[in-house]
Amino acid sequence: MSPKTQSSRKKPPLVIDIFCHHLSKSIGPWMAKENYYGDDKELPYPHQNADPEVRLRLMDKYGVQVQALSQTTPVLLGFNAEDAAEICRISNDANYALCKTYPDRFVNICIMSLLEVKSAVEELDRSINELDCRGVTIATNQKGKGLDSPDYFPFYEKVAEHDLPILLHPTHWEDYPLVDMEKGWRMMHLFGWPFDTTQAVWRLIFGGVIDRFPALKIVTHHLGAMIPYFARRVEQNFNKFLKDKVPRHISEYWKNFYGDTALDGTASAYLCGYDFFGPDRMIFGTDYPFGPEAGEDFIRSNLQGVKEMKIPQRDKKKILGENAKKLLKIELKTVSVTVSVSEENREE
């Protein structure tokens, strides 16, 4: 290839996956103690996700320069506060080990259990000071306790002080048997989780958390869950019934919230999220390593979903990488990745 041809070749866009998971080997013995994660359990996962070479090959194949590694919060299901805190520490250490070995390819999103707030604040301090924490992930409810509880204010205060984004990850809620995983044909996972993200956002707004900590930046999994689809329904009900419950109009609170693209390839849903969040608060995320083909399907389908949207190229660049780069304060060196011809053509 001539120098002229090389210089004229289109540079692939920056791609950062803000919402992918790392279930390390060190967490395996803990997962074996409960009935949620693992082979032949509710939520199986590919064990090879713990192999960095497997990750890097997939990242290079699809042109993903950086993964923001987080633990998935439902791994804490069934554990008491002390054990949950230990799982968080192990997970955060495992993430950091990978980030330290491959500093240009991974950044650390640290998981926190709020079942014991003092412990969570201590782990947050440790993560900031020792583990190069770029954000935190918490479950959308804490064993049925809402995220608007004043008990959590010291945690939010420190998160806001250090300008760290909060990644909300949905989890089980056990109050409604018709949405049971087994008897409800996986309804909890499919529909209960997005509902729980929605209620968490609602309580953060109407419970006064956003007004008390207006600098908080909150990333919602699955592109805002129910809220973008029901945006006008939300606004109409707010105008009629809820205007006196918060000091500002509901539309002013949305600026604190972002949505990741982990929608598994449903084409129209990306545009719904884009209409709601706009190009500056929509962020590429895959939910890897979950999904078919040991997670590869979710990388491919979510990339395709973004790249095939009929929106300006500059907006696609923001969604694919620039927004996450800014939010996570990532300083990138040159990363050489190989993108297949078919993937490159999708950028056109």
Side-chain angles (χ1 to χ4, degrees), residues 70-321:
S70 63
Q71 183 57 274
T72 178
T73 61
V75 300
L76 305 178
L77 287 168
F79 292 101
N80 61 30
E82 182 179 357
D83 287 345
E86 181 62 18
I87 292 169
C88 290
R89 285 190 287 270
I90 293 171
S91 299
N92 296 337
D93 286 342
N95 282 358
Y96 180 61
L98 202 52
C99 296
K100 190 175 180 180
T101 304
Y102 303 94
D104 298 328
R105 308 305 302 274
F106 303 111
V107 295
N108 196 2
I109 306 296
C110 295
I111 185 172
M112 307 288 157
S113 166
L114 300 182
L115 297 180
E116 210 291 303
V117 179
K118 182 175 180 293
S119 173
V121 172
E122 290 173 355
E123 179 62 9
L124 179 57
D125 275 331
R126 187 181 78 93
S127 297
I128 292 168
N129 295 324
E130 301 177 17
L131 305 181
D132 194 18
C133 175
R134 303 301 180 91
V136 298
T137 185
I138 60 175
T140 44
N141 75 78
Q142 303 289 316
K143 285 197 172 181
K145 190 172 181 178
L147 295 184
D148 58 319
S149 170
D151 292 343
Y152 306 145
F153 287 178
F155 176 79
Y156 296 138
E157 183 175 16
K158 187 166 286 290
V159 168
E161 176 188 343
H162 290 275
D163 192 28
L164 296 171
I166 296 175
L167 279 64
L168 291 183
H169 195 291
T171 191
H172 285 17
W173 39 279
E174 307 291 355
D175 298 331
Y176 190 26
L178 296 183
V179 192
D180 182 75
M181 279 291 279
E182 182 178 356
K183 297 177 181 178
W185 301 281
R186 295 193 69 85
M187 282 192 69
M188 176 59 71
H189 183 218
L190 289 171
F191 303 112
W193 282 16
F195 168 79
D196 211 50
T197 297
T198 304
Q199 68 78 20
V201 170
W202 204 244
R203 299 194 74 88
L204 288 168
I205 294 172
F206 286 94
V209 176
I210 301 302
D211 285 314
R212 190 180 183 94
F213 305 102
L216 286 180
K217 302 179 180 72
I218 298 167
V219 181
T220 59
H221 207 13
H222 310 307
L223 203 52
M226 297 168 65
I227 292 172
Y229 190 82
F230 288 108
R232 180 162 172 77
R233 180 179 175 88
V234 168
E235 187 165 323
Q236 293 300 309
N237 273 268
F238 177 86
N239 290 338
K240 188 172 183 178
F241 302 112
L242 299 169
K243 283 195 295 186
D244 62 340
K245 305 301 181 183
V246 287
R248 295 179 286 155
H249 192 270
I250 187 70
S251 60
E252 294 186 36
Y253 291 93
W254 301 139
K255 67 185 68 174
N256 291 82
F257 294 90
Y258 299 71
D260 81 346
T261 64
L263 294 170
D264 313 343
T266 305
S268 58
Y270 295 97
L271 285 171
C272 180
Y274 174 80
D275 287 343
F276 181 79
F277 287 106
D280 296 317
R281 292 183 292 112
M282 184 172 172
I283 308 180
F284 179 69
T286 65
D287 223 1
Y288 176 83
F290 299 102
E293 303 171 42
E296 183 172 354
D297 176 275
F298 280 9
I299 298 175
R300 181 175 59 248
S301 62
N302 285 297
L303 268 175
Q304 183 176 346
V306 174
K307 290 181 177 181
E308 292 186 352
M309 283 195 297
K310 304 301 183 184
I311 62 175
Q313 288 294 325
R314 63 179 178 274
D315 289 355
K316 292 182 185 179
K317 289 180 179 179
K318 288 181 178 181
I319 294 165
L320 288 170

